[in-house]
Amino acid sequence: MIQLEPIELKKERRLAITWSVTFLIVFPLLITLGLLMRLNQGEMIKLQINTFYALMTLHGLGMVGVLFSIAFAGMWYLISTRYVKLNIKVGYFTYYVVLIGVLGLAFATLIGGFAPGWYLLYPLPFKGATWTVWSTRLSIISLIVMGVGWLVGVLHLLYALVKEYKGFTNLLGWQYLRKKKVERELPPIVMIATVSLVPGVVAFLAGAVFLIMYLLQSFEPALSFNVLLMKNITMFFGHTLANIIIYCALGWVYALFPEFTGREWKTNKVLVYSWDATFLFILFAFFHHMYMDFAQPIGMQYAGQVISYLSAVPATVVTMFGVITQLYHSKVKWGIVPLMFLMGTAGWAIGGGAAVVDSTIAMNRVLHNTLWVPAHFHTYLLMGTVLFIFGFLFYLFTENRNQDGGKLAKAGFWLFVAGGHGFLAMFYFGGLSSIPRRYADYSGIAISSVHNMGELLAQISVWLIALLLIGLFIMYYSLFANLFRKKLKIAPVKVND
């Protein structure tokens, strides 16, 4: 591990807190957009159709963007303070560029009414659009700007790691597969950062390609592109980005859990094989989004199911087994941080299992355009990644490392978990009841039982979101109380590299 000067450590912590406070501001605002959508679907309020889809666009794109940003920021902080020095100016460049992009997207959707949904599926931004041309252009440019910011930060981090560990293959852990003795231990978080962020670079480049094509067509409407090609590129970008959000946050679990269990979590052959397999599978698992496209080559459809199954197994199994071995007879003190990490791992596994169900071709034919789809990705993001994030934030905001969190924080946590899983259950019930996704409301559904069930589940969801928000703001109070509390001189738990 590297030893930073106190002033350098303070600068890195300030950058991480800047990202974190921004997340804490934006996150509940985006939840509120989701609340408004469920209120409309429950016919408790009446939104204009274009307003509903503008909110859906900002909610989806905003959540993915803010979750990736804080996941990357946490990875940056842990790596820069433990394993390799990073340029703080690059970190702030990434922050400000991404912030500009977020503000541009918010203006384009809330003011300009840009509303094709977060997938931006071609040719939706151009065919039958009810929003202004400038809002389309501003949204595309804002997304490109965010991508540039992320790409600069990611490439800088990867370059520093390659230089520090003397080669890309060493970052993938291939030295553990040779017969020679490993000269330098590879921390799991470093390998996971590589496995996550290298596919992320490819995804950002793919995203830049289709966004530039969109931008060209916005200036020259006579242009047109192959619809199936555009959908493949879009789904590759979106699916890969969503996956690496989870994996970056999982890297924190590998790095921080040992501080609470007092046990090392070392890289070994099993870990290397598992995460290297994930590195390959993550690039091709997006094919399961294309099952409904009959023009897609049939071999790619079969590959989508096989690879989706394979991608769900290695990282999940090795991580869950690792968490169990970390906890077994460890006498861990169940403060807020390990509690968050354990429940986040459970949420990730539940959401991943539901995703595997949906990636089965026979099941996908029934579930694909139902609320089962938002159910599974909300599960592994809200009850998986978000819990990892708050675990990290409680760790970060408590400098003295006395991170029990207190009874208030735990009460907020359990309210958040109860409200979150209840809210998700309404999505799952909706999927099993054939309630369609992406509908602004269910009044136009001719089958009264489906209409009534969709409306009822949306109404119940509203109260569960309210419970979730109450828990969230209780945790906010505890977080900021920790941040501004006077420092106590308590020695941190020491764990070997």
Side-chain angles (χ1 to χ4, degrees), residues 423-442:
F423 159 72
L424 294 168
M426 298 305 104
F427 271 152
Y428 284 114
F429 289 146
L432 294 174
S433 302
S434 299
I435 310 300
R437 61 175 173 150
R438 299 200 190 107
Y439 273 40
D441 59 56
Y442 307 117

Side-chain angles (χ1 to χ4, degrees), residues 12 15 72-80 86-87 91 153 156-157:
E12 290 291 353
L15 173 60
F72 175 67
M75 185 72 80
W76 175 291
Y77 174 77
L78 292 174
I79 288 177
S80 67
L86 300 175
N87 190 322
H156 173 66
L157 189 151

Side-chain angles (χ1 to χ4, degrees), residues 258-262 401 491-495:
E259 295 194 15
F260 298 91
T261 63
R401 299 297 180 261
V493 177
K494 293 183 178 180
V495 178

Side-chain angles (χ1 to χ4, degrees), residues 14 35 73 98 141 161 172 193 212 231 330 375 381 409 449 469-470:
R14 186 182 294 122
L35 175 61
V98 170
I141 292 171
L161 288 176
L172 292 176
I212 290 170
K231 185 174 181 181
S330 68
L381 290 177
S449 60
L469 285 171
I470 292 171

Side-chain angles (χ1 to χ4, degrees), residues 31-49:
I31 289 179
T32 303
L33 300 185
L35 175 61
L36 291 172
M37 288 188 285
R38 290 306 265 167
L39 282 166
N40 193 72
Q41 290 171 333
E43 300 183 23
M44 301 167 77
I45 62 172
K46 184 63 179 177
L47 298 173
Q48 295 295 321
I49 289 180

Side-chain angles (χ1 to χ4, degrees), residues 91-356:
Y92 276 106
F93 171 84
T94 299
Y95 171 78
Y96 285 116
V97 170
V98 170
L99 182 61
I100 291 169
V102 169
L103 293 174
L105 182 63
F107 190 83
T109 50
L110 298 179
I111 306 300
F114 183 67
W118 86 274
Y119 283 108
L120 305 177
L121 284 182
Y122 185 82
L124 283 181
F126 311 105
K127 302 296 182 182
T130 57
W131 50 88
T132 58
V133 175
W134 69 261
S135 68
T136 299
R137 292 172 182 168
L138 179 58
S139 296
I140 294 168
I141 292 171
S142 298
L143 292 170
I144 292 173
V145 167
M146 281 189 276
V148 169
W150 288 329
L151 191 60
V152 169
V154 168
L155 287 175
H156 173 66
L157 189 151
L158 289 173
Y159 172 76
L161 288 176
V162 169
K163 188 175 179 181
E164 176 71 18
Y165 287 88
K166 297 179 173 56
F168 179 68
T169 57
N170 287 336
L171 294 179
L172 292 176
W174 289 10
Q175 64 272 32
Y176 288 87
L177 308 181
R178 305 184 187 110
K179 293 182 179 180
K180 295 181 180 179
K181 183 180 178 180
V182 176
E183 296 181 359
R184 181 180 182 182
E185 288 290 334
L186 178 69
I189 188 176
V190 173
M191 181 173 62
I192 293 171
T194 307
V195 168
S196 305
L197 297 179
V198 172
V201 171
V202 181
F204 289 139
L205 294 176
V209 168
F210 85 80
L211 287 171
I212 290 170
M213 293 166 80
Y214 276 19
L215 192 61
L216 291 173
Q217 185 161 340
S218 74
F219 285 101
E220 182 48 70
L223 284 173
S224 63
F225 304 102
N226 183 282
V227 176
L228 187 61
L229 173 64
M230 296 296 280
K231 185 174 181 181
N232 271 277
I233 297 174
T234 304
M235 290 302 174
F236 169 72
F237 167 72
H239 184 270
T240 305
L241 185 59
N243 272 266
I244 64 177
I245 289 171
I246 305 165
Y247 295 150
C248 283
L250 276 172
W252 311 340
V253 178
Y254 280 79
L256 298 180
F257 229 149
E259 295 194 15
F260 298 91
T261 63
R263 292 176 173 173
E264 294 180 318
W265 199 340
K266 288 189 172 184
T267 301
N268 53 38
K269 287 186 178 181
V270 174
L271 212 64
V272 171
Y273 280 126
S274 300
W275 280 100
D276 281 12
T278 300
F279 176 81
L280 177 64
F281 297 145
I282 193 177
L283 295 171
F284 301 101
F286 78 96
F287 288 146
H288 65 238
H289 287 279
M290 310 295 294
Y291 290 157
M292 296 297 167
D293 297 275
F294 60 87
Q296 185 88 335
I298 192 69
M300 295 171 71
Q301 306 287 45
Y302 291 144
Q305 177 166 315
V306 174
I307 295 173
S308 295
Y309 276 51
L310 293 175
S311 67
V313 174
T316 307
V317 171
V318 76
T319 301
M320 292 180 68
F321 183 78
V323 169
I324 292 169
T325 55
Q326 279 285 308
L327 293 173
Y328 185 67
H329 284 188
S330 68
K331 297 181 181 179
V332 62
K333 293 182 179 179
W334 285 107
I336 193 71
V337 178
L339 200 56
M340 290 275 192
F341 285 166
L342 179 63
M343 293 301 292
T345 303
W348 167 55
I350 294 168
V356 169

